């Protein structure tokens, strides 16, 4: 399944993927390689750690320029989000992450790496499981 990601066909379909596994198994390395491959094939790519994106969006929200900053994460064909779950995310951060995911829904692909199983995402995102499932 991982090799099939590297054909990049999922990007044109606006599909998404989640890489789940323990620390040290190469998830971040795979994201980097996938971003490189997608860029070689002409796709626009943004690669960031989840916590860095949330910090960037939080600062923009405080400054009143959230709409412009959101475009940084909504515009690329492929958004690579690394390390979900390595640091805690508060309610504001979870809301901002949800805004990015919702804005990209059916318009852009996301590949996310995490060391946490789906069943922990409600706790991880400091929210209820309905929002985490979405």
């Amino acid at each position: 399944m991982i090799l099939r990601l590297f054909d990049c066909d999922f990007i044109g379909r606006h599909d998404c993927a989640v890489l789940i596994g323990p620390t040290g198994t190469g998830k971040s390395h795979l994201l980097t390689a996938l971003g490189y491959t997608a860029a070689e094939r002409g796709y626009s790519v943004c690669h960031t750690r989840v916590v860095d994106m949330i910090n960037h969006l939080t600062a923009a929200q405080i400054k009143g320029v959230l709409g412009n900053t959101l475009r940084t994460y909504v515009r690329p064909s492929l958004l690579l989000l690394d390390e979900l779950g390595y640091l805690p995310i508060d309610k504001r951060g979870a809301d901002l992450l949800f805004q990015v995911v919702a804005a990209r829904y059916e318009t852009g692909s996301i590949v996310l790496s995490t060391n946490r199983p789906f069943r922990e995402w409600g706790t991880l995102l400091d929210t209820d499981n309905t929002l985490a499932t979405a």
Side-chain angles (χ1 to χ4, degrees):
M1 292 176 80
I2 290 172
L3 290 176
R4 291 192 67 203
L5 284 176
F6 283 83
D7 65 15
C8 295
D9 292 342
F10 76 98
I11 299 171
R13 295 188 308 266
H14 310 297
D15 290 340
C16 299
V18 178
L19 305 177
I20 301 174
T23 302
T25 55
K27 297 177 303 295
S28 296
H29 181 76
L30 285 171
L31 284 185
T32 301
L34 180 59
Y36 183 83
T37 300
E40 279 187 322
R41 294 177 185 228
Y43 292 104
S44 56
V45 178
C46 177
H47 181 227
T48 184
R49 293 182 322 143
V50 171
V51 69
D52 293 336
M53 179 184 74
I54 290 171
N55 288 340
H56 187 210
L57 293 171
T58 299
Q61 189 176 45
I62 291 167
K63 293 178 186 175
V65 294
L66 180 60
N68 289 336
T69 305
L70 273 171
R71 282 194 268 291
T72 301
Y73 303 104
V74 174
R75 188 176 296 138
S77 301
L78 177 61
L79 178 61
L80 302 169
L81 296 177
D82 201 10
E83 298 183 353
L84 175 69
Y86 286 82
L87 294 173
I89 298 172
D90 62 10
K91 177 76 167 101
R92 174 187 268 180
D95 291 343
L96 291 168
L97 176 59
F98 180 77
Q99 284 186 54
V100 171
V101 172
R104 293 186 62 82
Y105 182 68
E106 295 186 348
T107 64
S109 295
I110 299 173
V111 179
L112 182 126
S113 75
T114 181
N115 63 348
R116 303 289 184 93
F118 286 122
R119 68 179 175 277
E120 295 180 12
W121 285 24
T123 304
L124 172 71
L125 297 174
D126 191 29
T127 188
D128 61 58
N129 283 331
T130 304
L131 181 61
T133 300

PDB file of all heavy atoms in Angstrom, residues 4 9 31 35 119 122 128 132:
ATOM      1  N   ARG A   4       2.107   2.066  -3.425  1.00  0.00           N
ATOM      2  CA  ARG A   4       1.062   2.630  -4.284  1.00  0.00           C
ATOM      3  C   ARG A   4       0.906   4.132  -4.066  1.00  0.00           C
ATOM      4  O   ARG A   4       0.495   4.844  -4.983  1.00  0.00           O
ATOM      5  CB  ARG A   4      -0.264   1.904  -4.052  1.00  0.00           C
ATOM      6  CG  ARG A   4      -0.182   0.457  -4.578  1.00  0.00           C
ATOM      7  CD  ARG A   4      -1.505  -0.217  -4.650  1.00  0.00           C
ATOM      8  NE  ARG A   4      -2.318   0.425  -5.670  1.00  0.00           N
ATOM      9  CZ  ARG A   4      -3.643   0.369  -5.669  1.00  0.00           C
ATOM     10  NH1 ARG A   4      -4.289  -0.279  -4.740  1.00  0.00           N
ATOM     11  NH2 ARG A   4      -4.320   0.965  -6.631  1.00  0.00           N
ATOM     12  N   ASP A   9      -1.184   8.833  -7.822  1.00  0.00           N
ATOM     13  CA  ASP A   9      -2.520   8.891  -8.410  1.00  0.00           C
ATOM     14  C   ASP A   9      -3.570   9.383  -7.412  1.00  0.00           C
ATOM     15  O   ASP A   9      -4.554  10.005  -7.794  1.00  0.00           O
ATOM     16  CB  ASP A   9      -2.945   7.514  -8.942  1.00  0.00           C
ATOM     17  CG  ASP A   9      -2.129   7.079 -10.153  1.00  0.00           C
ATOM     18  OD1 ASP A   9      -1.492   7.953 -10.789  1.00  0.00           O
ATOM     19  OD2 ASP A   9      -2.126   5.869 -10.448  1.00  0.00           O
ATOM     20  N   LEU A  31       7.178  10.401   4.408  1.00  0.00           N
ATOM     21  CA  LEU A  31       6.523  11.659   4.019  1.00  0.00           C
ATOM     22  C   LEU A  31       7.454  12.533   3.189  1.00  0.00           C
ATOM     23  O   LEU A  31       7.038  13.107   2.183  1.00  0.00           O
ATOM     24  CB  LEU A  31       6.060  12.438   5.251  1.00  0.00           C
ATOM     25  CG  LEU A  31       4.811  11.961   5.961  1.00  0.00           C
ATOM     26  CD1 LEU A  31       4.440  12.935   7.081  1.00  0.00           C
ATOM     27  CD2 LEU A  31       3.645  11.789   5.022  1.00  0.00           C
ATOM     28  N   GLY A  35       6.756  13.565  -0.643  1.00  0.00           N
ATOM     29  CA  GLY A  35       6.704  14.963  -1.063  1.00  0.00           C
ATOM     30  C   GLY A  35       7.645  15.242  -2.219  1.00  0.00           C
ATOM     31  O   GLY A  35       7.290  15.943  -3.175  1.00  0.00           O
ATOM     32  N   ARG A 119      -8.387   5.352  17.829  1.00  0.00           N
ATOM     33  CA  ARG A 119      -9.224   5.364  19.031  1.00  0.00           C
ATOM     34  C   ARG A 119      -8.757   6.392  20.058  1.00  0.00           C
ATOM     35  O   ARG A 119      -9.504   6.769  20.942  1.00  0.00           O
ATOM     36  CB  ARG A 119      -9.301   3.972  19.646  1.00  0.00           C
ATOM     37  CG  ARG A 119      -8.023   3.465  20.243  1.00  0.00           C
ATOM     38  CD  ARG A 119      -8.181   2.066  20.855  1.00  0.00           C
ATOM     39  NE  ARG A 119      -6.920   1.538  21.317  1.00  0.00           N
ATOM     40  CZ  ARG A 119      -6.025   0.922  20.547  1.00  0.00           C
ATOM     41  NH1 ARG A 119      -6.277   0.728  19.265  1.00  0.00           N
ATOM     42  NH2 ARG A 119      -4.894   0.487  21.057  1.00  0.00           N
ATOM     43  N   GLY A 122      -9.635  11.338  19.894  1.00  0.00           N
ATOM     44  CA  GLY A 122     -10.516  12.218  20.656  1.00  0.00           C
ATOM     45  C   GLY A 122      -9.794  12.831  21.835  1.00  0.00           C
ATOM     46  O   GLY A 122      -9.860  14.039  22.071  1.00  0.00           O
ATOM     47  N   ASP A 128     -14.311  15.837  21.424  1.00  0.00           N
ATOM     48  CA  ASP A 128     -15.094  14.608  21.453  1.00  0.00           C
ATOM     49  C   ASP A 128     -14.733  13.735  20.252  1.00  0.00           C
ATOM     50  O   ASP A 128     -14.118  14.179  19.301  1.00  0.00           O
ATOM     51  CB  ASP A 128     -16.595  14.906  21.491  1.00  0.00           C
ATOM     52  CG  ASP A 128     -17.067  15.678  20.270  1.00  0.00           C
ATOM     53  OD1 ASP A 128     -16.881  15.179  19.142  1.00  0.00           O
ATOM     54  OD2 ASP A 128     -17.610  16.783  20.445  1.00  0.00           O
ATOM     55  N   ALA A 132     -13.109  14.256  16.234  1.00  0.00           N
ATOM     56  CA  ALA A 132     -11.888  13.507  15.894  1.00  0.00           C
ATOM     57  C   ALA A 132     -12.134  12.575  14.724  1.00  0.00           C
ATOM     58  O   ALA A 132     -11.282  12.445  13.843  1.00  0.00           O
ATOM     59  CB  ALA A 132     -11.403  12.703  17.119  1.00  0.00           C
TER      60      ALA A 132
END
